[in-house]
Amino acid sequence: MSSTQSVKNLGPITFVDIDNAREVEQIELMKQIMESGECPFCLENLKKYHRTPVLKETEHWLLTRNAWPYDNTREHFLIILKTHKERLRELSPDEGADFFRLMVWAEKKFDLPGGGLVMRFGDTVYSAGSVKHLHAQLIVPDIDKPGFKPTRIKIGKAR
Ligand SMILES: [Zn+2]
């Protein structure tokens, strides 16, 4: 895609990887973020770039809905770490425990019948993540939707 090629030439990508963005509006927003040099998931920037409300905040994590839910999903939550970390090895046991407490809360609160939980980490070539700042996706497929197709999560970029 030529538009992403020209963005790449602006300089090194630090916090986001536009190759892994999916929607036109998302790509436009990510261009803005790349030009700003800011991490979109760091708390000081989140309000600027993330338009859906925070549903729950714990000591270490925020729960919100993905502004660009995957196709065929009934729920697509994002769980965002409140400090900037990119690798699992940087997480403390307390941050890990807090994460699962929040997941249990969400399962009960939204009466989630089942679904999937995905956390990408590290090098975006391997993760296919669009934002490096550690975050997870909690997904409930919309199995009753006409023409439903199972939700598929991409891990790793084709070169
Ligand atoms: Zn960050």
Side-chain angles (χ1 to χ4, degrees):
M1 216 181 343
S2 61
S3 61
T4 53
Q5 287 301 324
S6 63
V7 167
K8 273 185 181 167
N9 295 335
L10 289 174
I13 298 169
T14 313
F15 297 118
V16 295
D17 187 338
I18 202 163
D19 288 349
N20 294 330
R22 293 168 292 113
E23 308 282 345
V24 173
E25 191 195 357
Q26 185 185 15
I27 290 167
E28 288 306 313
L29 183 64
M30 287 185 72
K31 283 182 190 172
Q32 271 180 45
I33 293 167
M34 286 164 70
E35 282 163 20
S36 75
E38 294 169 331
C39 169
F41 283 176
C42 276
L43 287 182
E44 63 271 26
N45 306 321
L46 193 68
K47 282 196 185 89
K48 225 184 310 181
Y49 299 118
H50 187 70
R51 290 91 178 257
T52 63
V54 172
L55 302 167
K56 175 84 171 171
E57 181 173 349
T58 64
E59 189 183 352
H60 299 293
W61 301 87
L62 295 174
L63 178 78
T64 180
R65 283 194 169 88
N66 196 327
W68 294 281
Y70 293 169
D71 290 342
N72 297 295
T73 58
R74 189 169 104 192
E75 289 288 9
H76 188 165
F77 296 104
L78 281 181
I79 306 93
I80 302 171
L81 187 63
K82 287 165 72 176
T83 51
H84 186 94
K85 296 181 180 180
E86 300 181 1
R87 305 296 300 260
L88 296 174
R89 69 184 75 156
E90 297 173 78
L91 283 174
S92 70
D94 196 42
E95 286 168 331
D98 194 42
F99 174 80
F100 281 102
R101 274 194 297 270
L102 179 56
M103 293 303 83
V104 169
W105 178 88
E107 188 193 49
K108 289 180 185 165
K109 171 76 180 174
F110 301 103
D111 197 19
L112 306 179
L117 182 59
V118 176
M119 187 185 286
R120 295 184 173 100
F121 64 94
D123 187 335
T124 56
V125 174
Y126 289 86
S127 72
S130 55
V131 178
K132 289 182 177 178
H133 183 127
L134 274 181
H135 63 284
Q137 330 234 8
L138 177 63
I139 292 166
V140 177
D142 191 3
I143 59 170
D144 296 322
K145 184 181 168 185
F148 169 77
K149 289 191 180 68
T151 305
R152 296 180 188 280
I153 308 281
K154 187 172 84 169
I155 308 287
K157 262 202 262 188
R159 299 208 223 199

